[in-house]
Amino acid sequence: MARQDAFAPTPADKFTFGLWTVGNPGRDPFGEPTRVKLDPVKIVDLLGEVGGVHGVNFHDNDLIPIDATPAEADTIKRDFRKALRRHGLKVPMATTNLFSDPVFKDGAFTSNDRHVRAYAIQKTMRAMALGAEFGAKIYVFWGGREGTDTNVAKDPVQAGAWFREAINFLCAHSKDMKYGYKFALEAKPNEPRGHIFLPVTGSMLGFIAGLDHSEMVGVNPEFAHEQMAGLNFVQVVGEALDAKKLFHIDLNDQEVGRFDQDLRFGSQSYKHAFALVKLLIDHGYNGPKHFDSHAYRTSDYADVKAFAAGSMRTYKILESKVHRFNSDRGIQALVGKIVREDRKLAGLTAKYSSKSAKALLAIDFDRKALASRSLPYEQLDQLTFDLLQGAR
Ligand code: GCO
Ligand code: MN
Ligand code: MN
């Protein structure tokens, strides 16, 4: 990769990929893999060759197959650690595969079977230990099969209580073991189940408030998942930032009304992607930026590398556009017109007192004059388009 490129990523950008993302062999519900399956070392080598990557994340079984013997696990870990060192890659995040094995066909923490629920918690404790061995500090929970295919099969109130019990237990375990994990809950409305519990990030934020250790639990919103639910991802992330709960983020893309596509970040929704990068920059998000996407099934591994490099390049290009937007005089003049402040009014509503309530009640607002103030959003939106398309 050309290092002198203005859009070349560096590890300081905190871009991460998953063993399961760049290593995705291109299987889909209708077809067999189109790429040979790479082992973890080869995936790390691939990311090293792409260059500028900060880290690689994994599910327990992306690294250690579910049936591996302890001796096999040791060999895999040793080789993986060597590969990470060779390329200077970190493991910022780890997670558990609670969806592939048939034992989880009815969910993990919300399975109707107490034995499966206990096994899921045990598997997660072991996976947390594995992540900690590689220095992971963020632990993601994606409830892949935590749901139902028919509403008569599971009581959602009961399922919520089971899910809470599991997360409370695992938070306490993390503290007990001094792993220092922050948990990040990832929502998705459907796929692979017909209906998944806590379907959107907003649900997760509500759920977190009722946990025993809510301070160590935040969210991992994913672009595609909120888009699948018909929501505006930029607003979703804004809500998470406002709650100080944006612990991790899954960047990808998705067209509305389609299956879970996991498209390359920015490949489809340029304008949303720009607004998202602007939001993250404006609010100083400093966590990892994980590309949770797959290359097209038609790609070979040379194209997978282009996909990985492209994900980071797109982010860097959008980042440079955000800096231009934030320093563009014409644009900022419009922004200045749009946001109107008034010190006296701000003082009145910042904090309630019966005095300020009386003062506010006594103000004679000129409703018609307020309504007639101009809001040149069309101009602003067009200038944004010009800037993004290189016409400004
Ligand atoms: C998906 C999910 C996953 C999770 C991953 C980490 O739709 O498949 O986004 O990729 O992010 O399992 O928990
Ligand atoms: Mn996804
Ligand atoms: Mn994801």
Side-chain angles (χ1 to χ4, degrees):
M1 289 255 97
R3 287 274 127 202
Q4 57 276 45
D5 184 338
F7 305 118
T10 73
D13 291 310
K14 295 199 185 162
F15 292 133
T16 62
F17 294 85
L19 287 180
W20 72 97
T21 65
V22 274
N24 181 288
R27 188 187 301 107
D28 75 12
F30 297 92
E32 300 302 329
T34 54
R35 297 182 279 269
V36 293
K37 199 172 173 340
L38 300 182
D39 65 30
V41 168
K42 290 228 173 71
I43 298 172
V44 172
D45 285 341
L46 181 151
L47 288 173
E49 284 158 27
V50 169
V53 178
H54 170 70
V56 60
N57 305 317
F58 57 72
H59 300 81
D60 49 354
N61 304 134
D62 297 336
L63 186 61
I64 318 278
I66 196 163
D67 289 323
T69 63
E72 285 163 348
D74 284 346
T75 309
I76 294 169
K77 285 195 262 183
R78 194 196 55 216
D79 294 346
F80 184 61
R81 201 181 297 281
K82 268 196 222 152
L84 290 172
R85 282 216 194 99
R86 195 157 58 238
H87 298 290
L89 290 182
K90 304 219 169 340
V91 177
M93 177 272 257
T95 182
T96 329
N97 185 326
L98 295 172
F99 43 88
S100 292
D101 194 89
V103 71
F104 300 122
K105 64 188 177 188
D106 189 30
F109 303 146
T110 65
S111 163
N112 271 326
D113 185 332
R114 167 69 75 185
H115 285 89
V116 175
R117 296 202 299 276
Y119 172 61
I121 294 175
Q122 181 201 67
K123 189 173 193 285
T124 304
M125 286 195 290
R126 291 179 175 161
M128 283 165 63
L130 178 67
E133 270 188 61
F134 286 93
K137 288 288 171 213
I138 298 167
Y139 205 85
V140 163
F141 290 82
W142 171 61
R145 293 194 192 271
E146 309 291 13
T148 66
D149 305 304
T150 162
N151 281 331
V152 293
K154 225 176 255 185
D155 176 344
V157 177
Q158 178 65 80
W162 287 334
F163 196 71
R164 188 177 306 109
E165 179 180 309
I167 300 293
N168 280 340
F169 187 92
L170 293 164
C171 281
H173 182 63
S174 178
K175 283 176 173 281
D176 194 17
M177 302 301 289
K178 304 200 168 27
Y179 290 143
Y181 276 128
K182 282 165 101 183
F183 287 6
L185 309 184
E186 176 178 349
K188 186 176 181 180
N190 57 276
E191 255 194 86
R193 296 312 287 276
H195 308 275
I196 301 180
F197 296 129
L198 300 165
V200 293
T201 298
S203 318
M204 291 299 184
L205 289 171
F207 173 80
I208 289 168
L211 293 172
D212 289 350
H213 298 287
S214 57
E215 75 290 343
M216 64 177 277
V217 187
V219 291
N220 176 35
E222 174 171 316
F223 197 116
H225 297 178
E226 306 294 324
Q227 183 94 327
M228 285 167 74
L231 301 181
N232 176 335
F233 190 62
V234 179
Q235 293 186 356
V236 168
V237 173
E239 198 180 339
L241 283 165
D242 179 51
K244 305 211 176 347
K245 289 296 186 189
L246 189 67
F247 288 4
H248 197 261
I249 190 162
D250 277 4
L251 301 174
N252 57 11
D253 210 336
Q254 170 77 28
E255 292 194 65
V256 175
R258 297 287 192 277
F259 61 94
D260 178 23
Q261 293 175 298
D262 286 323
L263 296 171
R264 189 181 78 257
F265 176 65
S267 59
Q268 186 57 36
S269 327
Y270 307 152
K271 202 171 155 190
H272 262 79
F274 166 74
L276 176 69
V277 173
K278 176 162 156 49
L279 184 77
L280 296 177
I281 291 175
D282 288 352
H283 292 276
Y285 172 73
N286 192 30
K289 295 180 280 270
H290 172 78
F291 294 107
D292 200 13
S293 45
H294 303 153
Y296 302 130
R297 187 165 178 267
T298 41
S299 297
D300 58 14
Y301 278 111
D303 207 35
V304 171
K305 280 194 206 169
F307 148 90
S311 302
M312 298 187 286
R313 180 174 172 81
T314 297
Y315 194 100
K316 295 293 287 180
I317 291 173
L318 290 174
E319 195 176 73
S320 80
K321 295 285 183 185
V322 170
H323 294 314
R324 289 200 46 202
F325 183 99
N326 286 345
S327 61
D328 183 301
R329 284 191 185 193
I331 291 176
Q332 291 310 313
L334 280 179
V335 172
K337 274 193 203 163
I338 286 160
V339 182
R340 295 193 183 93
E341 246 322 331
D342 182 297
R343 279 218 188 150
K344 205 175 134 219
L345 290 179
L348 276 186
T349 51
K351 196 169 189 315
Y352 184 85
S353 71
S354 38
K355 203 175 143 212
S356 63
K358 261 189 214 130
L360 181 55
L361 284 167
I363 296 177
D364 188 14
F365 286 103
D366 185 344
R367 201 180 78 245
K368 294 213 168 119
L370 287 181
S372 68
R373 284 181 175 180
S374 125
L375 289 171
Y377 292 159
E378 290 286 2
Q379 281 181 55
L380 181 61
D381 192 69
Q382 183 65 42
L383 290 181
T384 306
F385 178 84
D386 285 7
L387 188 121
L388 290 181
Q389 302 302 320
R392 183 175 175 80

